mmCIF file of all heavy atoms in Angstrom:
data_model
loop_
_atom_site.group_PDB
_atom_site.id
_atom_site.type_symbol
_atom_site.label_atom_id
_atom_site.label_comp_id
_atom_site.label_asym_id
_atom_site.label_seq_id
_atom_site.Cartn_x
_atom_site.Cartn_y
_atom_site.Cartn_z
ATOM 1 N N ALA S 1 -120.059 -127.726 17.737
ATOM 2 C CA ALA S 1 -118.985 -126.722 17.962
ATOM 3 C C ALA S 1 -118.085 -126.540 16.756
ATOM 4 O O ALA S 1 -117.871 -127.495 16.012
ATOM 5 C CB ALA S 1 -118.197 -127.078 19.184
ATOM 6 N N PRO S 2 -117.516 -125.347 16.631
ATOM 7 C CA PRO S 2 -116.523 -125.137 15.591
ATOM 8 C C PRO S 2 -115.080 -125.264 16.120
ATOM 9 O O PRO S 2 -114.813 -124.938 17.238
ATOM 10 C CB PRO S 2 -116.754 -123.670 15.142
ATOM 11 C CG PRO S 2 -117.214 -123.005 16.419
ATOM 12 C CD PRO S 2 -117.941 -124.048 17.199
ATOM 13 N N VAL S 3 -114.256 -125.876 15.292
ATOM 14 C CA VAL S 3 -112.824 -125.807 15.488
ATOM 15 C C VAL S 3 -112.295 -124.861 14.414
ATOM 16 O O VAL S 3 -112.670 -124.909 13.244
ATOM 17 C CB VAL S 3 -112.193 -127.224 15.417
ATOM 18 C CG1 VAL S 3 -112.401 -127.820 14.077
ATOM 19 C CG2 VAL S 3 -110.733 -127.187 15.703
ATOM 20 N N CYS S 4 -111.385 -123.921 14.842
ATOM 21 C CA CYS S 4 -111.032 -122.805 13.965
ATOM 22 C C CYS S 4 -109.555 -122.519 14.125
ATOM 23 O O CYS S 4 -108.959 -122.587 15.214
ATOM 24 C CB CYS S 4 -111.867 -121.571 14.387
ATOM 25 S SG CYS S 4 -111.494 -120.043 13.462
ATOM 26 N N LEU S 5 -108.924 -122.144 12.999
ATOM 27 C CA LEU S 5 -107.545 -121.642 13.089
ATOM 28 C C LEU S 5 -107.441 -120.517 14.038
ATOM 29 O O LEU S 5 -108.280 -119.555 13.980
ATOM 30 C CB LEU S 5 -107.075 -121.223 11.684
ATOM 31 C CG LEU S 5 -106.815 -122.330 10.680
ATOM 32 C CD1 LEU S 5 -106.533 -121.722 9.292
ATOM 33 C CD2 LEU S 5 -105.583 -123.187 11.104
ATOM 34 N N GLU S 6 -106.469 -120.541 14.898
ATOM 35 C CA GLU S 6 -106.310 -119.468 15.924
ATOM 36 C C GLU S 6 -106.228 -118.064 15.296
ATOM 37 O O GLU S 6 -106.866 -117.094 15.779
ATOM 38 C CB GLU S 6 -105.086 -119.727 16.721
ATOM 39 C CG GLU S 6 -104.905 -118.833 17.954
ATOM 40 C CD GLU S 6 -103.665 -119.212 18.770
ATOM 41 O OE1 GLU S 6 -103.715 -120.293 19.425
ATOM 42 O OE2 GLU S 6 -102.702 -118.450 18.693
ATOM 43 N N GLU S 7 -105.570 -117.971 14.162
ATOM 44 C CA GLU S 7 -105.380 -116.674 13.481
ATOM 45 C C GLU S 7 -106.659 -116.173 12.817
ATOM 46 O O GLU S 7 -106.789 -115.013 12.477
ATOM 47 C CB GLU S 7 -104.258 -116.740 12.482
ATOM 48 C CG GLU S 7 -104.409 -117.781 11.376
ATOM 49 C CD GLU S 7 -103.772 -119.116 11.710
ATOM 50 O OE1 GLU S 7 -103.701 -119.463 12.898
ATOM 51 O OE2 GLU S 7 -103.355 -119.819 10.775
ATOM 52 N N ASP S 8 -107.670 -117.055 12.647
ATOM 53 C CA ASP S 8 -108.936 -116.637 11.996
ATOM 54 C C ASP S 8 -110.086 -116.485 12.977
ATOM 55 O O ASP S 8 -111.202 -116.065 12.582
ATOM 56 C CB ASP S 8 -109.346 -117.695 10.940
ATOM 57 C CG ASP S 8 -108.430 -117.699 9.736
ATOM 58 O OD1 ASP S 8 -107.570 -116.788 9.617
ATOM 59 O OD2 ASP S 8 -108.529 -118.649 8.906
ATOM 60 N N ALA S 9 -109.819 -116.744 14.255
ATOM 61 C CA ALA S 9 -110.933 -116.763 15.254
ATOM 62 C C ALA S 9 -111.529 -115.390 15.436
ATOM 63 O O ALA S 9 -112.748 -115.291 15.640
ATOM 64 C CB ALA S 9 -110.414 -117.345 16.539
ATOM 65 N N LYS S 10 -110.733 -114.336 15.388
ATOM 66 C CA LYS S 10 -111.274 -113.024 15.560
ATOM 67 C C LYS S 10 -112.160 -112.648 14.386
ATOM 68 O O LYS S 10 -113.255 -112.067 14.593
ATOM 69 C CB LYS S 10 -110.132 -111.993 15.730
ATOM 70 C CG LYS S 10 -110.639 -110.575 15.957
ATOM 71 C CD LYS S 10 -109.508 -109.619 16.183
ATOM 72 C CE LYS S 10 -110.036 -108.208 16.466
ATOM 73 N NZ LYS S 10 -108.903 -107.211 16.710
ATOM 74 N N LYS S 11 -111.771 -112.992 13.170
ATOM 75 C CA LYS S 11 -112.524 -112.609 11.986
ATOM 76 C C LYS S 11 -113.886 -113.275 11.997
ATOM 77 O O LYS S 11 -114.895 -112.634 11.697
ATOM 78 C CB LYS S 11 -111.738 -113.059 10.754
ATOM 79 C CG LYS S 11 -112.456 -112.755 9.439
ATOM 80 C CD LYS S 11 -111.587 -113.176 8.264
ATOM 81 C CE LYS S 11 -112.299 -112.870 6.941
ATOM 82 N NZ LYS S 11 -111.468 -113.236 5.750
ATOM 83 N N TRP S 12 -113.968 -114.596 12.340
ATOM 84 C CA TRP S 12 -115.243 -115.309 12.183
ATOM 85 C C TRP S 12 -116.049 -115.336 13.482
ATOM 86 O O TRP S 12 -117.275 -115.453 13.416
ATOM 87 C CB TRP S 12 -114.963 -116.713 11.703
ATOM 88 C CG TRP S 12 -114.250 -116.817 10.394
ATOM 89 C CD1 TRP S 12 -113.135 -117.523 10.122
ATOM 90 C CD2 TRP S 12 -114.646 -116.237 9.175
ATOM 91 N NE1 TRP S 12 -112.746 -117.362 8.828
ATOM 92 C CE2 TRP S 12 -113.666 -116.580 8.203
ATOM 93 C CE3 TRP S 12 -115.694 -115.383 8.775
ATOM 94 C CZ2 TRP S 12 -113.736 -116.147 6.874
ATOM 95 C CZ3 TRP S 12 -115.758 -114.937 7.454
ATOM 96 C CH2 TRP S 12 -114.801 -115.314 6.541
ATOM 97 N N PHE S 13 -115.379 -115.193 14.637
ATOM 98 C CA PHE S 13 -116.108 -115.324 15.912
ATOM 99 C C PHE S 13 -115.813 -114.240 16.931
ATOM 100 O O PHE S 13 -116.328 -114.303 18.063
ATOM 101 C CB PHE S 13 -115.788 -116.720 16.539
ATOM 102 C CG PHE S 13 -116.143 -117.855 15.667
ATOM 103 C CD1 PHE S 13 -115.169 -118.516 14.926
ATOM 104 C CD2 PHE S 13 -117.431 -118.302 15.597
ATOM 105 C CE1 PHE S 13 -115.518 -119.614 14.122
ATOM 106 C CE2 PHE S 13 -117.812 -119.355 14.753
ATOM 107 C CZ PHE S 13 -116.840 -120.009 14.044
ATOM 108 N N GLY S 14 -115.038 -113.204 16.557
ATOM 109 C CA GLY S 14 -114.742 -112.136 17.502
ATOM 110 C C GLY S 14 -113.892 -112.581 18.658
ATOM 111 O O GLY S 14 -113.844 -111.971 19.707
ATOM 112 N N CYS S 15 -113.201 -113.723 18.485
ATOM 113 C CA CYS S 15 -112.335 -114.272 19.579
ATOM 114 C C CYS S 15 -110.898 -113.787 19.339
ATOM 115 O O CYS S 15 -110.258 -114.228 18.388
ATOM 116 C CB CYS S 15 -112.413 -115.775 19.537
ATOM 117 S SG CYS S 15 -111.344 -116.592 20.721
ATOM 118 N N ASN S 16 -110.431 -112.910 20.191
ATOM 119 C CA ASN S 16 -109.116 -112.314 19.931
ATOM 120 C C ASN S 16 -107.991 -112.858 20.781
ATOM 121 O O ASN S 16 -106.925 -112.243 20.937
ATOM 122 C CB ASN S 16 -109.184 -110.794 20.132
ATOM 123 C CG ASN S 16 -109.683 -110.406 21.513
ATOM 124 O OD1 ASN S 16 -109.828 -111.238 22.375
ATOM 125 N ND2 ASN S 16 -109.962 -109.110 21.710
ATOM 126 N N GLN S 17 -108.244 -114.029 21.352
ATOM 127 C CA GLN S 17 -107.190 -114.703 22.164
ATOM 128 C C GLN S 17 -107.356 -116.200 21.998
ATOM 129 O O GLN S 17 -108.446 -116.685 21.683
ATOM 130 C CB GLN S 17 -107.202 -114.272 23.616
ATOM 131 C CG GLN S 17 -108.509 -114.510 24.288
ATOM 132 C CD GLN S 17 -108.560 -113.932 25.687
ATOM 133 O OE1 GLN S 17 -107.582 -113.389 26.216
ATOM 134 N NE2 GLN S 17 -109.700 -114.017 26.334
ATOM 135 N N PRO S 18 -106.301 -116.999 22.309
ATOM 136 C CA PRO S 18 -106.443 -118.429 22.178
ATOM 137 C C PRO S 18 -107.570 -118.966 23.085
ATOM 138 O O PRO S 18 -107.731 -118.511 24.216
ATOM 139 C CB PRO S 18 -105.080 -118.958 22.620
ATOM 140 C CG PRO S 18 -104.120 -117.815 22.343
ATOM 141 C CD PRO S 18 -104.899 -116.579 22.607
ATOM 142 N N SER S 19 -108.358 -119.910 22.567
ATOM 143 C CA SER S 19 -109.413 -120.588 23.323
ATOM 144 C C SER S 19 -109.357 -122.069 22.979
ATOM 145 O O SER S 19 -110.237 -122.551 22.255
ATOM 146 C CB SER S 19 -110.744 -119.942 23.036
ATOM 147 O OG SER S 19 -111.744 -120.517 23.882
ATOM 148 N N PRO S 20 -108.281 -122.789 23.410
ATOM 149 C CA PRO S 20 -108.032 -124.108 22.866
ATOM 150 C C PRO S 20 -108.824 -125.242 23.471
ATOM 151 O O PRO S 20 -108.697 -126.360 22.973
ATOM 152 C CB PRO S 20 -106.533 -124.288 23.171
ATOM 153 C CG PRO S 20 -106.308 -123.501 24.459
ATOM 154 C CD PRO S 20 -107.219 -122.315 24.348
ATOM 155 N N PHE S 21 -109.663 -124.997 24.513
ATOM 156 C CA PHE S 21 -110.287 -126.063 25.194
ATOM 157 C C PHE S 21 -111.830 -126.111 25.086
ATOM 158 O O PHE S 21 -112.496 -126.792 25.849
ATOM 159 C CB PHE S 21 -109.856 -126.116 26.659
ATOM 160 C CG PHE S 21 -108.376 -126.070 26.818
ATOM 161 C CD1 PHE S 21 -107.770 -125.121 27.601
ATOM 162 C CD2 PHE S 21 -107.564 -126.983 26.146
ATOM 163 C CE1 PHE S 21 -106.420 -125.081 27.784
ATOM 164 C CE2 PHE S 21 -106.183 -126.941 26.262
ATOM 165 C CZ PHE S 21 -105.590 -126.006 27.109
ATOM 166 N N MET S 22 -112.384 -125.282 24.245
ATOM 167 C CA MET S 22 -113.833 -125.242 24.038
ATOM 168 C C MET S 22 -114.620 -124.992 25.308
ATOM 169 O O MET S 22 -115.499 -125.723 25.699
ATOM 170 C CB MET S 22 -114.327 -126.584 23.403
ATOM 171 C CG MET S 22 -115.623 -126.500 22.670
ATOM 172 S SD MET S 22 -116.262 -128.091 22.135
ATOM 173 C CE MET S 22 -114.984 -128.613 20.982
ATOM 174 N N LEU S 23 -114.245 -123.873 26.016
ATOM 175 C CA LEU S 23 -114.842 -123.556 27.294
ATOM 176 C C LEU S 23 -115.493 -122.216 27.376
ATOM 177 O O LEU S 23 -116.019 -121.869 28.424
ATOM 178 C CB LEU S 23 -113.729 -123.660 28.397
ATOM 179 C CG LEU S 23 -113.258 -125.093 28.712
ATOM 180 C CD1 LEU S 23 -112.023 -125.032 29.531
ATOM 181 C CD2 LEU S 23 -114.336 -125.894 29.406
ATOM 182 N N PHE S 24 -115.531 -121.505 26.267
ATOM 183 C CA PHE S 24 -116.133 -120.157 26.198
ATOM 184 C C PHE S 24 -116.955 -120.041 24.923
ATOM 185 O O PHE S 24 -116.660 -120.685 23.937
ATOM 186 C CB PHE S 24 -115.061 -119.076 26.270
ATOM 187 C CG PHE S 24 -114.241 -119.115 27.547
ATOM 188 C CD1 PHE S 24 -113.072 -119.849 27.586
ATOM 189 C CD2 PHE S 24 -114.670 -118.410 28.686
ATOM 190 C CE1 PHE S 24 -112.318 -119.880 28.764
ATOM 191 C CE2 PHE S 24 -113.926 -118.478 29.824
ATOM 192 C CZ PHE S 24 -112.743 -119.191 29.886
ATOM 193 N N THR S 25 -117.967 -119.186 24.978
ATOM 194 C CA THR S 25 -118.736 -118.906 23.787
ATOM 195 C C THR S 25 -118.351 -117.540 23.176
ATOM 196 O O THR S 25 -117.941 -116.630 23.906
ATOM 197 C CB THR S 25 -120.272 -118.902 24.094
ATOM 198 O OG1 THR S 25 -120.500 -117.928 25.135
ATOM 199 C CG2 THR S 25 -120.767 -120.266 24.517
ATOM 200 N N HIS S 26 -118.471 -117.480 21.870
ATOM 201 C CA HIS S 26 -118.235 -116.226 21.142
ATOM 202 C C HIS S 26 -119.306 -116.105 20.022
ATOM 203 O O HIS S 26 -119.914 -117.095 19.616
ATOM 204 C CB HIS S 26 -116.854 -116.266 20.495
ATOM 205 C CG HIS S 26 -115.723 -116.292 21.489
ATOM 206 N ND1 HIS S 26 -115.187 -115.125 22.043
ATOM 207 C CD2 HIS S 26 -115.102 -117.332 22.058
ATOM 208 C CE1 HIS S 26 -114.232 -115.500 22.882
ATOM 209 N NE2 HIS S 26 -114.174 -116.783 22.938
ATOM 210 N N ARG S 27 -119.576 -114.882 19.673
ATOM 211 C CA ARG S 27 -120.652 -114.614 18.746
ATOM 212 C C ARG S 27 -120.180 -114.704 17.287
ATOM 213 O O ARG S 27 -119.157 -114.054 16.954
ATOM 214 C CB ARG S 27 -121.307 -113.226 19.019
ATOM 215 C CG ARG S 27 -122.601 -113.001 18.274
ATOM 216 C CD ARG S 27 -123.406 -111.933 18.937
ATOM 217 N NE ARG S 27 -123.888 -112.386 20.299
ATOM 218 C CZ ARG S 27 -124.943 -113.133 20.479
ATOM 219 N NH1 ARG S 27 -125.638 -113.565 19.482
ATOM 220 N NH2 ARG S 27 -125.281 -113.513 21.689
ATOM 221 N N ALA S 28 -120.822 -115.471 16.451
ATOM 222 C CA ALA S 28 -120.450 -115.620 15.062
ATOM 223 C C ALA S 28 -120.574 -114.293 14.355
ATOM 224 O O ALA S 28 -121.558 -113.548 14.529
ATOM 225 C CB ALA S 28 -121.306 -116.678 14.388
ATOM 226 N N LYS S 29 -119.593 -114.005 13.491
ATOM 227 C CA LYS S 29 -119.581 -112.699 12.740
ATOM 228 C C LYS S 29 -119.991 -112.903 11.335
ATOM 229 O O LYS S 29 -119.954 -111.933 10.535
ATOM 230 C CB LYS S 29 -118.159 -112.161 12.780
ATOM 231 C CG LYS S 29 -117.614 -111.868 14.186
ATOM 232 C CD LYS S 29 -118.472 -110.817 14.904
ATOM 233 C CE LYS S 29 -117.916 -110.475 16.302
ATOM 234 N NZ LYS S 29 -118.720 -109.508 17.019
ATOM 235 N N THR S 30 -120.461 -114.078 10.959
ATOM 236 C CA THR S 30 -120.898 -114.348 9.607
ATOM 237 C C THR S 30 -122.073 -115.301 9.633
ATOM 238 O O THR S 30 -122.229 -116.064 10.569
ATOM 239 C CB THR S 30 -119.745 -114.925 8.757
ATOM 240 O OG1 THR S 30 -120.276 -115.289 7.433
ATOM 241 C CG2 THR S 30 -119.174 -116.178 9.410
ATOM 242 N N GLN S 31 -122.919 -115.211 8.616
ATOM 243 C CA GLN S 31 -124.016 -116.140 8.478
ATOM 244 C C GLN S 31 -123.639 -117.381 7.625
ATOM 245 O O GLN S 31 -124.499 -118.232 7.332
ATOM 246 C CB GLN S 31 -125.227 -115.442 7.875
ATOM 247 C CG GLN S 31 -125.760 -114.319 8.754
ATOM 248 C CD GLN S 31 -127.000 -113.689 8.168
ATOM 249 O OE1 GLN S 31 -127.396 -113.923 7.026
ATOM 250 N NE2 GLN S 31 -127.627 -112.814 8.954
ATOM 251 N N ALA S 32 -122.396 -117.440 7.259
ATOM 252 C CA ALA S 32 -121.922 -118.535 6.387
ATOM 253 C C ALA S 32 -121.678 -119.867 7.105
ATOM 254 O O ALA S 32 -121.472 -120.898 6.496
ATOM 255 C CB ALA S 32 -120.667 -118.145 5.624
ATOM 256 N N LEU S 33 -121.637 -119.798 8.460
ATOM 257 C CA LEU S 33 -121.262 -120.948 9.235
ATOM 258 C C LEU S 33 -122.450 -121.498 10.049
ATOM 259 O O LEU S 33 -122.419 -121.636 11.262
ATOM 260 C CB LEU S 33 -120.095 -120.516 10.214
ATOM 261 C CG LEU S 33 -118.865 -119.956 9.539
ATOM 262 C CD1 LEU S 33 -117.871 -119.434 10.534
ATOM 263 C CD2 LEU S 33 -118.196 -121.015 8.636
#
């Protein structure tokens, strides 16, 4: 699993709200990870 700065989550994973407990999946927006 990735741990990510909250402010960068939308850019790298399309996550536009806090998800602090690793309970939801999001689609990676880059092939760098």
Side-chain angles (χ1 to χ4, degrees):
V3 60
C4 178
L5 288 171
E6 188 176 289
E7 58 267 30
D8 291 350
K10 183 177 181 180
K11 178 179 181 180
W12 300 127
F13 300 101
C15 176
N16 57 8
Q17 58 187 355
S19 185
F21 308 127
M22 202 188 296
L23 289 167
F24 299 90
T25 55
H26 295 271
R27 190 158 295 277
K29 300 297 182 182
T30 175
Q31 296 182 352
L33 302 173

